[in-house]
Amino acid sequence: MSARFEEIDWRPTPMGDISLRRRRDPETGNDVYEVKLGDEFLMSSLFTAGEIALTRLGLAEAPGTELDVAVGGLGLGYTAKAALDDPRVRSLIVVEALAEVIQWHQRGMVPLGARLVSDPRCRLVQGDFFAMAGDPHGLDPRTPDRLFQAILLDIDHSPRHVLHPRHAALYQPAGLRALAEHLHPGGIFALWSNDAPDENFTAVLTQVFAESEAHVVEFDNPLQSGTAANTVYVARKAAGAHLT
């Protein structure tokens, strides 16, 4: 049995001090992994329904039977793992800004690390997703101008509550048009948000994509003895669309 609490890793990063912690849930006896950036909780293995739903809802709408998928944000790996569970996914790249987070997976310091790094379809890429999304060369440093059937994003808390001010530009029409250029015609952009559906952001999506929908994902929240909810936005690029 693990110790009741352990700080597995702590590193200073350009975004602030990041830490990986493990604690034992007194109710279930299970280990819970948590990531903090400074004093702010970024993610917890106790709450993964939204991250998994991001993948499932996004890939359910993706065109074709052989999918090339890009994920923005590695975290504890639940979005990426859900993608690898889909047999249609032939390749997956996960873009993560912090080398420290990638190292947690490569060194087996988090539960899903070995699963991700051992799958030949999966490649972890250190990079700034937001800068890469706005770059005509795209999200795959090995293959400039590469297109994807789906791009899944789980980095910021929501389009309104971003981790860094420079992220905000992505959620405007120009930023989304640049991102959509990395999708095949008919391709899917899906976004996780911790906030309720945002009508203003939905309106922005409709300026760029042919179709869009906001899904509310409810899940049990044992810390509040009730339920909580996330939002997953799913948007489809028009068939044959060229947006720039």
Side-chain angles (χ1 to χ4, degrees):
M1 182 175 290
S2 67
R4 186 171 181 179
F5 175 85
E6 179 185 7
E7 185 171 76
I8 300 172
D9 196 19
W10 175 93
R11 312 268 192 97
T13 79
M15 297 179 66
D17 296 339
I18 193 167
S19 61
L20 172 65
R21 310 163 4 139
R22 178 175 57 204
R23 64 177 177 84
R24 192 167 68 248
D25 187 322
E27 295 293 327
T28 66
N30 296 330
D31 283 342
V32 176
Y33 288 77
E34 299 169 332
V35 178
K36 292 183 69 178
L37 186 62
D39 293 326
E40 186 174 16
F41 280 95
L42 287 187
M43 61 203 71
S44 168
S45 63
L46 193 61
F47 305 109
T48 62
E51 289 88 338
I52 295 169
L54 167 65
T55 299
R56 292 179 177 171
L57 289 168
L59 296 190
E61 299 298 325
T65 57
E66 292 189 324
L67 304 182
D68 298 316
V69 179
V71 169
L74 174 57
L76 292 172
Y78 287 91
T79 298
K81 193 263 187 184
L84 294 173
D85 287 342
D86 189 322
R88 297 176 300 150
V89 173
R90 67 179 177 185
S91 74
L92 173 70
I93 65 167
V94 186
V95 179
E96 168 58 49
L98 299 177
E100 293 81 3
V101 176
I102 292 176
Q103 290 168 7
W104 294 343
H105 288 265
Q106 292 172 333
R107 297 174 181 175
M109 299 167 68
V110 290
L112 298 182
R115 169 75 171 88
L116 300 188
V117 300
S118 66
D119 194 313
R121 297 174 295 163
C122 181
R123 178 156 48 92
L124 308 182
V125 175
Q126 184 186 357
D128 182 338
F129 177 89
F130 298 89
M132 295 164 76
D135 187 326
H137 293 307
L139 299 172
D140 187 350
R142 293 185 185 175
T143 310
D145 308 316
R146 184 181 181 191
L147 300 182
F148 299 89
Q149 280 80 20
I151 298 174
L152 315 174
L153 179 57
D154 176 13
I155 294 178
D156 293 312
H157 296 304
S158 75
R160 290 181 182 265
H161 299 99
V162 296
L163 294 180
H164 193 284
R166 59 183 167 77
H167 295 183
L170 177 76
Y171 306 107
Q172 300 303 313
L176 290 172
R177 288 191 183 99
L179 179 145
E181 288 296 335
H182 309 309
L183 288 168
H184 285 285
I188 295 297
F189 169 59
L191 170 71
W192 175 90
S193 171
N194 194 45
D195 291 349
D198 184 327
E199 292 184 2
N200 290 333
F201 180 64
T202 299
V204 172
L205 286 172
T206 62
Q207 295 181 48
V208 177
F209 294 93
E211 305 170 23
S212 66
E213 186 174 0
H215 301 264
V216 175
V217 179
E218 295 186 341
F219 53 92
D220 291 334
N221 185 341
L223 299 181
Q224 298 178 354
S225 300
T227 61
N230 296 157
T231 300
V232 173
Y233 298 93
V234 180
R236 182 186 302 278
K237 182 177 177 178
H242 186 74
L243 301 173
T244 58

